[in-house]
Amino acid sequence: MSIWSRFFSREKQAELDRGLQKTRDNLWSRLGKLLTGKSTIDDEWLDELEEALISADVGIDTTVEILNRLQQKAARERYRNSEELQQLLEQTILSLLPPVQQPAPAQPFQLPDNKRPYVILVVGVNGVGKTTTIGKLAYQYKQAGYQVLLGAADTFRAAAVEQLTIWSERAGVPLVKQGMGADPGAVAFDTVQSAMARNMDVAIIDTAGRLHNKKHLMDELGKIRRVINKKLPGAPHEVLLVLDGSTGQNALEQAKQFMAVTELTGLVVTKLDGTAKGGVVLAIAHQCQIPIRYIGLGERITDLQPFDPESFVHSLFAGAASA
Amino acid sequence: MFESLSERLESAFKQLKGQGRITEINVASTLKEIRRALVDADVHYKIAKEFTDRVKEKALGAKVLQAVSPGQLMVKLVQDELTALMGGQAASLSLEQKPSVILVVGLQGSGKTTFSGKLAYFIRQKLHKSPLLVAADIYRPAAIEQLKVIGQQIQVPVFSEEGLPAVEIARKAVTEAKNHGYQVVIIDTAGRLAIDEAMMQEVADIKAAVNPEEILFVADAMTGQDAVNTAKAFHDRLAFTGVVLTKMDGDTRGGAALSIKYTIQKPIKFVSAGEKPDTLDIFYPDRMAQRILGMGDIVSLVEKAQEQYDAEMAKRLEKKIRKNQFDLNDFKEQLAQIRKMGNLKDLLAMIPGMGKQLKNLDLNDDAFKGIEAIINSMTPEERANPDIIDGSRRRRIAQGSGRDIQEVNQFLKQFEQMRQMMKMMNKMGSINPLHIRKN
């Protein structure tokens, strides 16, 4: 059973607590042991922590930042034992993350009242799970009682439209599509227009995967965004960058480049049901000040959860002790 | 773009200056920088450590030649060691059986289906054998459809059957291949997590059923620290025969390649870079080593230039230069060409040694904007014949483009210098329009 599903399945609260306790014990007993008989955090202890962070893909710069902040904090605020030091560490890491949403919605999949249709554009490099994420988002918004419309603007990849069609059927929501090779901007325009005409609450638009260093494809994405904005001023209300949780430091460059053309509003981290920790999003959230919105935990339509910073921080250290 | 390793090392090597030998003390900070560069490139941190320990052993006591600085020597040591680790020779596919079965496995979204298509194309075009693609991903929505579309594009038959378990599909496909004389069977399997026991059992069952000659593990070149765990888990279960790195057309440094190679000791057989069927390449250890180290990739730069460069136009241009007719219209076209190749800073950074100069230079695509605005504010006549641009025209151009008159003057002066240079080059013989510089 993966760390993440352990953290996030609500029905297994007891198991979650136990699992969490166990992982904490693992790392903290080891970090704790290293602290015994010492009055300050020493290099050996910091090395240990550094390894845990690096192996979770947090990256060197952000790891160094965390270590520095922790050392300062520890020097200011006296801690008595390793539990208190753990709290300091968690606070330190959480302080790197930008606030999730202002104002925060009462329910995870609740739309602001004054924006209809609420347009969400989903972007990312190839194979990160954009289409799957859209299927899950559609399902969640539908469950929350909204009228959802999907737009199949990935007109490039073989069978991408068919894939989204299947997800739309699973979620029970309508879909706007054109043929393979159609202009993605036109599909996005159609989707928004149709959502307005049919009084939809939310329109979610899929785009083709594109590597962030391909200028013409990034330009195309900028155009899609402008087309949407022209049809409905203020839209897209959200631009979500989907990141594969197993991606390393390159994700940071992805975020920067997508940020430059589409004004990202949030991150979705997928495939966290495996052994990857996805620590690079910490670097992204910190350096680009983009909030993490959702995490993907599997292939079922229900496997999408709002991001919970504290669980995420716990998971970074889960299993690190045995590695 | 990342800082290049050589650039990083430069500061670490300052203290080595004037020393003839690399010693334990002076090498420590250098090794730390190397380790940092490797981890930054997504090499697993433990492997990065082991690697630098190996380099240290080789470096200690190494004599620094007078011609080479200790820094350069270290870089060379690192590069050689890395190249050796990545595998000295290119490994080819083993396709002896009749039919040969290739099983394609990996995580979700690593690019298995796209790769399977490219491999089929490669086998037909380069190896002159007849391939059969098999759609054994019965889980992901429209995965079978995707392979069918790819098969159609490259005109390779795709075997699929609704409602059967993946193992049965694979078994039937091999029989089909035997009956119809296909020489290579490529089985595209579903993406799966290494910790998903049921799914790992499935692929192990497929292996047992069809006895594949090659099992290729497809890995996203952008994978981070987890590459080691995943590759190991797949290898423990399937004993794969080779590795494929995908999405190499991104700007990732690809340290995962080293992590996987180091952990599993299986050759990297292909690198895949792009969405077109012919973008599959065999693996070059030295290129990969340079890429991981961020040492500038002149080969990629040339390839990129070739990809975007309009040969027809280049010829026309060359003729014009030869006749000394190069005007501002041509210059504008040149700028557009350069822009098409992408971000200027990234391009220049591919040139070895350029990284450092660029670091503090605020150079982006906007660098040409002013110049383009100036040219756009000229009449066609002025562009074709810059000599007629007098003071009053200059004032108008400055106003039209929103630049200072000084900038217009400076640009025209630079352009004139450039023309003089071309004239000189003409006299000397060979010219290449790619060499036109900004100043």
Side-chain angles (χ1 to χ4, degrees):
Chain A
M1 180 120 188
S2 95
I3 294 145
W4 275 96
S5 23
R6 215 160 54 208
F7 281 138
F8 286 96
S9 58
R10 288 171 201 159
E11 61 274 9
K12 291 178 184 162
Q13 192 66 40
E15 192 187 322
L16 184 147
D17 286 346
R18 243 179 297 128
L20 220 72
Q21 199 53 50
K22 202 172 139 223
T23 19
R24 278 185 199 167
D25 286 349
N26 261 344
L27 182 83
W28 284 101
S29 65
R30 202 159 60 131
L31 288 176
K33 240 176 243 160
L34 283 168
L35 269 182
T36 349
K38 292 164 188 161
S39 52
T40 49
I41 303 173
D42 65 1
D43 285 350
E44 199 187 349
W45 190 86
L46 286 171
D47 281 351
E48 198 83 17
L49 183 59
E50 185 187 293
E51 275 187 12
L53 290 169
I54 295 280
S55 69
D57 282 319
V58 173
I60 290 181
D61 290 338
T62 306
T63 295
V64 169
E65 176 79 25
I66 291 170
L67 294 184
N68 285 344
R69 285 195 192 189
L70 178 67
Q71 275 174 289
Q72 282 170 11
K73 226 180 164 77
R76 258 199 329 270
E77 299 160 38
R78 315 268 325 156
Y79 58 91
R80 271 163 305 188
N81 48 38
S82 62
E83 278 82 43
E84 288 190 13
L85 186 58
Q86 173 192 13
Q87 279 176 2
L88 283 186
L89 176 60
E90 285 181 11
Q91 286 166 12
T92 308
I93 296 176
L94 289 174
S95 71
L96 297 176
L97 298 171
V100 170
Q101 205 184 17
Q102 290 301 333
Q107 297 292 319
F109 293 95
Q110 195 180 351
L111 295 170
D113 290 330
N114 50 352
K115 292 165 187 164
R116 288 295 181 278
Y118 190 77
V119 181
I120 304 172
L121 184 65
V122 179
V123 303
V125 302
N126 315 65
V128 288
K130 286 178 296 300
T131 309
T132 308
T133 299
I134 290 171
K136 294 172 180 176
L137 275 175
Y139 172 81
Q140 295 288 3
Y141 279 118
K142 174 103 198 251
Q143 290 300 304
Y146 294 112
Q147 295 288 316
V148 185
L149 179 69
L150 299 184
D154 179 356
T155 55
F156 179 75
R157 205 204 67 202
V161 177
E162 285 83 350
Q163 190 182 348
L164 193 65
T165 306
I166 294 171
W167 278 109
S168 78
E169 284 160 7
R170 285 185 187 172
V173 302
L175 170 79
V176 173
K177 60 181 173 187
Q178 295 179 8
M180 264 270 284
D183 175 34
V187 180
F189 185 89
D190 272 5
T191 309
V192 177
Q193 193 168 42
S194 173
M196 291 163 79
R198 291 153 84 173
N199 279 323
M200 289 289 176
D201 295 308
V202 53
I204 311 174
I205 298 169
D206 191 15
T207 61
R210 63 200 76 221
L211 289 171
H212 52 283
N213 59 339
K214 303 217 160 156
K215 190 172 182 297
H216 58 294
L217 294 179
M218 294 306 274
D219 287 348
E220 178 193 85
L221 193 60
K223 184 189 153 194
I224 294 173
R225 190 186 188 284
R226 286 195 301 277
V227 165
I228 294 171
N229 189 263
K230 198 157 188 193
K231 182 68 205 167
L232 180 65
H237 306 95
E238 278 189 45
V239 182
L240 296 176
L241 174 68
V242 183
L243 293 165
D244 185 326
S246 61
T247 305
Q249 298 311 300
N250 192 247
L252 194 55
E253 200 56 32
Q254 291 174 22
K256 283 178 186 162
Q257 299 301 331
F258 277 98
M259 189 85 183
V261 289
T262 57
E263 296 165 41
L264 300 175
T265 61
L267 304 174
V268 181
V269 195
T270 60
K271 307 182 197 174
L272 285 179
D273 46 333
T275 41
K277 299 261 172 44
V280 69
V281 294
L282 207 59
I284 296 172
H286 171 223
Q287 293 184 31
C288 306
Q289 290 293 303
I290 310 171
I292 306 159
R293 296 292 309 280
Y294 308 106
I295 57 164
L297 297 161
E299 294 179 319
R300 287 171 305 158
I301 203 159
T302 49
D303 291 336
L304 185 79
Q305 300 273 336
F307 175 72
D308 172 9
E310 278 166 29
S311 299
F312 182 78
V313 171
H314 291 319
S315 78
L316 285 178
F317 299 106
S322 56
Chain B
M1 272 281 169
F2 297 87
E3 280 177 276
S4 78
L5 177 66
S6 12
E7 190 184 315
R8 278 212 176 136
L9 292 188
E10 226 156 83
S11 59
F13 281 129
K14 278 208 176 114
Q15 53 176 311
L16 256 102
K17 253 190 186 155
Q19 301 196 33
R21 244 172 229 281
I22 296 173
T23 67
E24 185 96 32
I25 302 153
N26 61 25
V27 86
S29 63
T30 314
L31 287 172
K32 207 175 145 195
E33 284 299 323
I34 296 171
R35 195 150 72 219
R36 206 191 139 115
L38 291 174
V39 172
D40 248 355
D42 290 323
V43 176
H44 191 261
Y45 72 100
K46 278 185 182 155
I47 295 169
K49 195 160 187 291
E50 281 181 42
F51 176 79
T52 45
D53 287 349
R54 283 171 74 143
V55 170
K56 184 174 157 188
E57 257 171 55
K58 299 219 163 160
L60 281 183
K63 259 200 185 128
V64 181
L65 299 168
Q66 283 197 315
V68 201
S69 73
Q72 284 166 323
L73 183 70
M74 273 303 276
V75 169
K76 192 180 169 342
L77 274 175
V78 170
Q79 203 181 335
D80 289 353
E81 187 67 20
L82 201 52
T83 308
L85 269 182
M86 299 298 292
Q89 291 168 354
S92 58
L93 283 175
S94 158
L95 300 174
E96 300 296 321
Q97 291 169 7
K98 285 182 177 60
S100 297
V101 179
I102 303 176
L103 192 59
V104 180
V105 302
L107 295 177
Q108 287 95 341
S110 52
K112 289 175 296 303
T113 306
T114 306
F115 166 71
S116 296
K118 289 182 186 180
L119 183 62
Y121 187 82
F122 179 89
I123 284 171
R124 199 188 56 204
Q125 301 298 115
K126 300 267 167 73
L127 306 181
H128 309 292
K129 291 185 179 228
S130 61
L132 174 69
L133 282 164
V134 183
D137 179 357
I138 54 173
Y139 305 99
R140 207 196 68 202
I144 294 174
E145 188 58 32
Q146 186 185 353
L147 195 65
K148 280 184 183 165
V149 173
I150 290 174
Q152 240 165 34
Q153 283 167 355
I154 57 172
Q155 295 186 357
V156 169
V158 176
F159 182 88
S160 69
E161 200 155 323
E162 296 278 313
L164 280 188
V167 182
E168 285 313 310
I169 294 175
R171 214 194 300 262
K172 275 190 127 172
V174 175
T175 314
E176 168 97 358
K178 273 182 191 151
N179 292 341
H180 291 84
Y182 294 112
Q183 291 158 299
V184 185
V185 181
I186 303 167
I187 304 175
D188 176 31
T189 63
R192 64 201 74 222
L193 291 168
I195 56 163
D196 189 336
E197 182 43 43
M199 289 297 283
M200 290 307 277
Q201 187 56 49
E202 183 206 70
V203 72
D205 289 345
I206 296 178
K207 180 187 174 184
V210 300
N211 188 28
E213 207 172 339
E214 291 271 2
I215 301 175
L216 299 177
F217 174 67
V218 178
D220 186 328
M222 297 182 278
T223 312
Q225 300 281 318
D226 195 51
V228 168
N229 302 332
T230 307
K232 198 168 175 306
F234 269 85
H235 191 256
D236 286 351
R237 201 63 186 258
L238 297 170
F240 54 71
T241 58
V243 180
V244 178
L245 291 174
T246 60
K247 304 180 203 172
M248 287 285 283
D249 46 338
D251 56 6
T252 178
R253 299 252 300 276
L258 179 64
S259 299
I260 295 171
K261 182 79 206 334
Y262 194 92
T263 315
I264 312 296
Q265 296 294 325
K266 282 288 158 63
I268 297 167
K269 295 206 169 176
F270 292 103
V271 292
S272 171
E275 318 229 18
K276 291 180 197 138
D278 59 352
T279 50
L280 191 65
D281 210 340
I282 50 170
F283 175 73
Y284 300 100
D286 48 340
R287 275 203 208 179
M288 193 67 217
Q290 288 190 356
R291 181 169 177 153
I292 292 175
L293 294 173
M295 290 185 61
D297 187 350
I298 198 77
V299 182
S300 300
L301 176 65
V302 171
E303 279 168 0
K304 205 160 185 179
Q306 276 169 348
E307 199 181 299
Q308 299 289 352
Y309 208 69
D310 185 340
E312 214 32 48
M313 208 170 99
K315 232 183 197 167
R316 216 174 56 228
L317 207 59
E318 191 175 333
K319 226 166 150 185
K320 275 193 135 178
I321 295 175
R322 217 161 252 152
K323 289 186 182 163
N324 231 349
Q325 288 171 344
F326 186 80
D327 62 24
L328 284 163
N329 280 318
D330 304 312
F331 186 73
K332 205 181 138 197
E333 265 179 40
Q334 281 284 302
L335 286 185
Q337 281 279 332
I338 294 170
R339 274 193 157 193
K340 240 168 60 184
M341 281 166 61
N343 184 296
L344 195 65
K345 200 165 177 173
D346 284 356
L347 278 178
L348 292 176
M350 282 190 209
I351 302 169
M354 276 298 266
K356 197 184 164 195
Q357 278 96 314
L358 287 172
K359 206 171 133 193
N360 301 317
L361 194 62
D362 182 28
L363 191 65
N364 50 37
D365 291 348
D366 294 344
F368 292 146
K369 260 198 178 151
I371 293 173
E372 276 183 326
I374 291 172
I375 299 177
N376 285 337
S377 300
M378 295 175 184
T379 65
E381 200 194 351
E382 287 165 347
R383 277 178 228 160
N385 190 5
D387 294 336
I388 63 165
I389 304 176
D390 56 15
S392 126
R393 284 177 193 263
R394 281 173 201 226
R395 266 196 302 280
R396 195 204 76 243
I397 291 165
Q399 226 164 30
S401 60
R403 321 300 296 189
D404 292 338
I405 192 147
Q406 286 87 346
E407 279 178 78
V408 178
N409 285 336
Q410 195 192 1
F411 168 65
L412 286 170
K413 204 167 142 195
Q414 279 172 351
F415 184 73
E416 189 46 42
Q417 283 170 352
M418 200 167 80
R419 283 222 290 193
Q420 291 301 327
M421 225 159 71
M422 285 178 189
K423 227 184 216 166
M424 260 164 56
M425 286 197 306
N426 269 342
K427 281 177 195 153
M428 292 190 302
S430 84
I431 51 154
N432 181 348
L434 247 187
H435 286 161
I436 291 165
R437 296 210 189 99
K438 197 188 138 204
N439 293 315

